[in-house]
Amino acid sequence: MTFSSANLDRRIGNDAQILWRIVRLCLRHRGRVAIAVGATLVAALFQLAVPQLLGSAVDGALGLLDTENATATAARAALFQTAALLLGASILRGLFTLIHNYMGEAVGHRMAYDLRLAFYDKLQSLSFSFHDQVHTGELITRGMLDLEGVRMFVSTGLVRLVLLTVLIGVGAYLLLSTDLLLGALSLSFVPFVAWRSAVARLKLRALWLALQERMGVIGRIMDENLTGIRVVRAFGAENYELAKYGEAADAAMELADKRIKTRVASTTIMTFAFFIAMGLVLWVGGLRVLEGRLTVGDLTEFLAFMTILQLPVRQLGLLVNSFARASTTGRRLFAVLDLEPTIADRPGAKPLEIKDSHVRYENVSFAYGGADSPPALHGVSFDVRRGKSLGIVGPPGSGKSTIAHLLTRFYDVSDGVITIDGQDVRDVTLESLRRQVLTVPQDPFLFTTSLENNIAYGDPWAEDESITNAASLAQIDTFIGTLPEGYGTLVGERGVSLSGGQKQRIAIARTAMLQPAVLILDDSTAAIDAGTEQQIRELLKAPMQTCATIFISHRLGTLLHADEIIFLEGGRIVERGTHESLVAQGGRYAELHALQNQLADDFDSGPSDMQGAAQ
Amino acid sequence: MTATTDGAPDQPERGRPPRAYVGSQISQDEEMFGALFDGGVVRRFMTYVRPYRRQVLLAIAAVLVVTGAQLAIPLIIRFGIDDVLLAEGGNAKLLALVVAVFAAVITVNFGANWLQDRLIGITGEHVIFDLRQAMYAHLQDVSLSFMDKTETGRMMSRLTGDVNSLQEFLENSVTAFGDLVLLFGIVVIMLSMDFGLGILTLSVVPTLFIVRMIWLPRARVAFRHARETNSSANGALAEGIRAVRTVQSMRRESVNFDLYDEKVQENLNSHLKSAQMAQVMVPIVDTLTGAAMGIVILVGGFQVLDGALEVGVMVAFLFYVQRFFDPIRSLTIQYSVMQRAMASGKRIFEVLDVPLAIDDAPNAFNPDSIDGSVEFRDVTFSYVKNQPVLQDVSFTVAPGETVALVGPTGSGKTSITSLLHRFYEIDEGAVLIDGRDVRDYAKAALGRHIAMVLQDPFLFTGSIFENIRYRTVDASREDVERAARVVGAHDFISQLADGYDTILEEQGRNLSLGQRQLLSFARALVADAKILVLDEATANIDSHTERQIQVALKRLLEGRTGIVIAHRLATVRGADRIIVLQSGRVVETGPHDALVAQGGLYARLYALNYASFDDVPDEQIK
């Protein structure tokens, strides 16, 4: 099974299905959606009332010129009424616009809230095999930008769709029913602008995406230059770096220019089309006024209508853009949300019951990429129980860490069985399994929070005492004591930066605090010096009595005292026994032992060679 | 100890909040808004605009034309109504003339509009690219002591975020200029058409200005809070993804979910708040527009009824009223943009003002080749005044000799290698290469003749080939392959699917540390410098790769002067001579056997049998 992003996105259905799915998500908040749509309708109608009121105001003001003085008061009263209506319509339009905009945003944000939680929950539950194959940056993009694209669809897509439909539809009806030819002329710019705006938007979207990518390259070049500044300086590569940057900047600038040109070409032509239509209305309308078939007020009404319609018509492009964006971003987001974790509790899974922490691998085989891929482990069997320890050694890629990953069910075995106290790890709950089996990884992840929060990661409700005990067990307490803020010191850029060895010691403390039934040390002392490692091992002796321990290491000193050592090569156990018996055996283990002891002597011939070269 | 109380979920049964947090606890925000106008910033910014002054002048001219056209259109309509449609001698011919004028105006408007937007957009873009390039180029020559103190993330935010806000400012300021002219033009035209009606209609403007000024600071707080909660929630999500293996193995899923829920909830609330803030202006603006139109209809209408005003003026007024709220809105937005730009500009020019600590002498020495002898003569050096990290350090290295620098952490080993490359200026004494002070050499010459391998091998995004070749762009494929063979990297490279064309991502994370180390050896070999400075990696590497590295190291040093900061006993013993440093002074020097026999610091370090001297605890040295 592979999760490459192309594969991932294919299964989600067509664009219409995706958009419909977003609509369904909105409908979870149907009360608010109803208010938003209702308010949109009302706001649009009030807005459409404004040109008519303006028209009648003009006619009202003109009315007196043709009639007797007797109606002067009536004309004034009519004007007063029109002004009041106009003010009222404006206020109500404003209020309902507020409601529909706010509700549109609110529905979008609430839907985003639901999606954010669902996405986070999904990521936490997806298995290692998924996370191995999908790039971190890719997931972050989906959870942030793509989710944002889906959220925006509510206000920029759905609500706007309603608004534009009503404004343009009802507006067009009113204009056409007043005067067919003049109405048609007033609307003549609509199809052209709508078409231009949609085409340009889609083109601009493509250009924008391409530009973002090129800007990303520039960002990466700058970032690497700053991070690797010592390499740059050491090689005197400033000019090379400037040239590299210049090339990327030129490529980005080219697109940036193209984007501006495309945008400007389309916006200016749209404005021009609008004004041409206005000119035609002015001309034909003017002729009708001259003929007496139309009042000046009617003409004003047409012109005012056009002004009101101009913006919504231009926004049709944004609408198209919003639909396009929502369907691509929705596809990418739902692709993740629809995944099922490959590793989960079986129906009826029971909690793991620990009797004497007896770990047993029976003929375990495993391949990372499924049955067709080369196996990482092949027929591995061993036993280890409470108070005992197993050492695993072997060249890189021999499958050492894989053994650890299978025991905690980060992956499931392809063949064979792993049991703890007779219970298949696949038959117990993940929660109970991972509470009892803990791994200290080689490259632990430290969080940007206080040291104590980092140590208490597995049990945030731990008492101070157990945190300090764990820290002293891992030989990190003295160091923490030297920090002005002690356990409250933040880890990271603004706090304390830790060496590899210190990080590993935090990870040991983090794990030891939880008192697991099975403890796996996966090369977790590699960056700790031999002396400290020795001390940690002494201190671990007591807790190790209550658990089964598996050591994985390339440093033989770490494994020396294990009750059994297995030597892995190509996923198979090639040798097994105690340190002494393996050395005596004279095989691969003994070879490695000799190599590690002789690395120093091996290089002894160096100086004479080098002197030879120099002379 | 302090337990974090912020963002902790309710866990009544546990009695207190957990010691837990998702996302960073550190806010990364810098000051967003500066003074409204900072003469210094604007003046300096103008130096980047100056090369484009013709375009800018042309753009301003176009803006004036566009604004003129916008102002003219209601006037044409007014003329059409009053002097053609409602006038005595009004006829179709006269109307056609009005329409022709209208057509001419909108055509001019079209051209000027096109020119204006294009010029503003493209010029703005180019100025910003120039500025970013200037910053980037400047950073290439800034002293390393400045770079040491600077977080990459903050510098990046200046190179991207701050530069973008200047771009926004630049583009907006030309249109803001247009808005100002438009507003001014509308006011003048309204007042000159009918002073009384003009004054009455415009009376709503101050109200809008005042309301916006009251609204703006509050809205800004709300917007800012929304932005902060966004980045905080996103940070937590990113952490959740990066740390997913730890989360799953420590069963933190449900605790984290609750904490994340709180963050997202806060994000939701702040966005709802800021949406309220953004929308609250809508009815106010609409009410004021309605009021202004009402005034025109009432007062203007009554005047028309009285025959004191032509109806065309009233229509023109109605059109102007619909227009003049836009510039007010964009001008108040520009107010924020300007403040933000001033703060950003200040930060940008701070970067450009960082002095270039080390500059080439006018006729710097730039030899084609060197012998490669190195001498430190009574060198004293400090990063911070009066806290010397090196004191009276003197030693010589003959051409072709390999010297190992040994000593506990903080003894000054790295400083020595940095000074050889003149990354920093020394306080006293002299560093000489081929008997000549490094300060006499051109920087480029030092870069060419001294190759460096750093402790943490840094690789760039790009192919393996490009990484090995790096700055030596004239190196051929064969040169690169030969270097890779010499250091023993060829085997693993050719096993990769794309061989030398394999693209390295995220600083070579797809390779093991040992492999990255070998690539950085090959890079140094291709550079083919006479002097090689090497800071050995401290991290543990598996024995097989370790052995390869030792062999590669030996080959790399052949025929070169080597200065090696050695952590491994194997490397130390391989050197011709060992210089032992302690607290910035040379305490012992000589070959391995002699130093062991001498029974000093080195002998004690050696006897302790640590894999690396860096590990030796302080109390063991004293």
Side-chain angles (χ1 to χ4, degrees), chain A residues 214-492:
Chain A
R214 293 197 188 174
M215 291 307 290
V217 173
I218 292 184
R220 199 196 65 219
I221 289 175
M222 295 195 297
D223 186 49
E224 288 188 352
N225 177 278
L226 295 179
T227 324
I229 188 101
R230 283 179 178 267
V231 178
V232 176
R233 299 288 173 93
F235 280 83
E238 290 89 344
N239 287 332
Y240 171 75
E241 289 286 314
L242 280 174
K244 191 159 83 175
Y245 174 88
E247 217 172 283
D250 287 347
M253 191 124 90
E254 190 195 318
L255 268 191
D257 284 356
K258 198 168 166 196
R259 183 162 162 261
I260 288 167
K261 286 175 187 166
T262 311
R263 191 186 69 208
V264 172
S266 92
T267 52
T268 49
I269 196 89
M270 288 194 289
T271 312
F272 193 48
F274 168 74
F275 278 131
I276 289 174
M278 199 172 187
L280 290 175
V281 170
L282 199 59
W283 196 3
V284 176
L287 284 173
R288 297 198 169 193
V289 173
L290 286 175
E291 291 163 18
R293 285 167 57 193
L294 202 70
T295 65
V296 174
D298 290 335
L299 183 59
T300 310
E301 187 185 326
F302 274 99
L303 294 177
F305 247 126
M306 290 185 67
T307 319
I308 281 179
L309 282 186
Q310 188 194 5
L311 196 64
V313 173
R314 290 178 146 217
Q315 285 181 344
L316 281 171
L318 292 177
L319 191 68
V320 173
N321 186 49
S322 171
F323 274 74
R325 185 172 173 209
S327 62
T328 40
T329 56
R331 176 183 300 278
R332 290 163 49 79
L333 184 68
F334 296 141
V336 175
L337 290 180
D338 286 354
L339 287 173
E340 284 303 325
T342 49
I343 292 176
D345 286 351
R346 280 189 179 168
K350 291 193 183 68
L352 174 66
E353 279 172 36
I354 294 294
K355 288 188 281 288
D356 54 9
S357 306
H358 179 190
V359 175
R360 186 177 171 85
Y361 276 56
E362 280 175 71
N363 250 320
V364 169
S365 297
F366 177 72
Y368 278 97
D372 312 331
S373 63
L377 282 184
H378 215 92
V380 169
S381 302
F382 62 80
D383 275 283
V384 58
R385 52 183 83 224
R386 178 178 297 158
K388 299 286 178 196
S389 58
L390 173 81
I392 305 176
V393 68
S398 58
K400 302 189 295 284
S401 297
T402 309
I403 292 185
H405 287 154
L406 294 177
L407 189 54
T408 41
R409 270 195 91 197
F410 290 143
Y411 305 88
D412 272 340
V413 297
S414 312
D415 200 15
V417 182
I418 299 173
T419 59
I420 297 174
D421 286 335
Q423 304 149 78
D424 190 322
V425 291
R426 287 167 296 184
D427 291 336
V428 298
T429 60
L430 276 177
E431 160 74 22
S432 63
L433 176 70
R434 291 180 186 166
R435 187 166 62 233
Q436 300 293 357
V437 184
L438 281 169
T439 309
V440 185
Q442 182 183 4
D443 192 11
F445 190 98
L446 262 64
F447 296 84
T448 326
T449 176
S450 65
L451 284 169
E452 64 168 333
N453 286 3
N454 266 295
I455 296 175
Y457 197 75
D459 180 8
W461 285 273
E463 296 303 325
D464 289 358
E465 205 193 335
S466 61
I467 295 176
T468 46
N469 283 346
S472 78
L473 186 79
Q475 294 284 294
I476 189 75
D477 55 336
T478 330
F479 167 73
I480 295 175
T482 64
L483 298 169
E485 290 176 58
Y487 284 85
T489 310
L490 295 177
V491 175

Side-chain angles (χ1 to χ4, degrees), chain B residues 283-340:
Chain B
I284 293 175
V285 170
D286 280 0
T287 304
L288 289 174
T289 315
M293 290 197 286
I295 290 172
V296 174
I297 290 171
L298 268 190
V299 180
F302 286 8
Q303 282 181 319
V304 175
L305 282 174
D306 295 342
L309 191 74
E310 289 170 314
V311 76
V313 174
M314 183 178 145
V315 173
F317 260 78
L318 289 174
F319 278 99
Y320 284 129
V321 166
Q322 287 184 333
R323 286 286 318 189
F324 74 35
F325 286 94
D326 291 343
I328 293 176
R329 181 169 27 216
S330 53
L331 282 173
T332 41
I333 290 173
Q334 177 66 4
Y335 178 82
S336 295
V337 171
M338 257 175 97
Q339 283 185 310
R340 202 159 44 221

Side-chain angles (χ1 to χ4, degrees), chain B residues 424-604:
Chain B
Y424 310 97
E425 295 290 15
I426 54 177
D427 303 341
E428 280 167 50
V431 177
L432 306 123
I433 291 175
D434 279 11
R436 210 171 166 137
D437 198 307
V438 289
R439 282 168 288 204
D440 295 342
Y441 284 86
K443 267 185 295 183
L446 295 178
R448 201 164 57 240
H449 297 303
I450 309 173
M452 264 184 139
V453 175
L454 302 175
Q455 197 176 65
D456 187 14
F458 189 90
L459 299 174
F460 296 86
T461 300
S463 68
I464 288 184
F465 171 71
E466 284 165 341
N467 263 289
I468 295 181
R469 190 180 65 166
Y470 193 46
R471 179 232 10 175
T472 322
V473 281
D474 52 353
S476 69
R477 192 96 184 173
E478 287 70 42
D479 296 335
V480 166
E481 220 177 289
R482 197 176 313 124
R485 271 181 209 282
V486 170
V487 301
H490 179 76
D491 286 348
F492 87 80
I493 296 172
S494 44
Q495 271 167 23
L496 298 169
D498 295 322
Y500 284 84
D501 296 320
T502 305
I503 299 293
L504 300 181
E505 274 167 35
E506 297 192 64
Q507 297 172 20
R509 298 261 152 72
N510 38 355
L511 299 179
S512 76
L513 178 63
Q515 291 170 330
R516 281 185 274 152
Q517 199 80 45
L518 291 178
L519 289 187
S520 77
F521 281 8
R523 177 158 68 197
L525 196 62
V526 169
D528 195 25
K530 204 74 192 169
I531 301 174
L532 182 79
V533 176
L534 188 135
D535 195 348
E536 192 174 34
T538 44
N540 259 287
I541 297 170
D542 70 274
S543 310
H544 301 265
T545 317
E546 175 79 57
R547 191 186 160 102
Q548 266 181 324
I549 287 176
Q550 291 292 350
V551 173
L553 187 57
K554 199 169 91 181
R555 291 185 179 155
L556 193 57
L557 285 166
E558 265 166 36
R560 297 174 214 283
T561 307
I563 297 182
V564 181
I565 299 179
H567 304 287
R568 286 157 217 277
L569 198 54
T571 318
V572 177
R573 290 175 61 178
D576 300 327
R577 207 145 47 87
I578 297 161
I579 295 176
V580 185
L581 289 159
Q582 190 177 13
S583 314
R585 290 175 192 276
V586 175
V587 290
E588 289 164 30
T589 166
H592 174 77
D593 295 337
L595 288 180
V596 171
Q598 201 175 311
L601 176 62
Y602 181 79
R604 269 184 289 144

Side-chain angles (χ1 to χ4, degrees), chain B residues 42-55:
Chain B
V42 173
R43 237 188 332 276
R44 295 202 50 186
F45 186 51
M46 282 307 144
T47 58
Y48 289 89
V49 178
R50 196 160 301 135
Y52 302 96
R53 58 178 171 276
R54 279 186 47 199
Q55 284 93 321

Side-chain angles (χ1 to χ4, degrees), chain B residues 216-232:
Chain B
L216 197 64
R218 285 152 222 275
R220 200 188 268 162
V221 171
F223 296 163
R224 187 181 176 153
H225 188 228
R227 210 167 28 238
E228 279 167 3
T229 58
N230 236 13
S231 65
S232 154

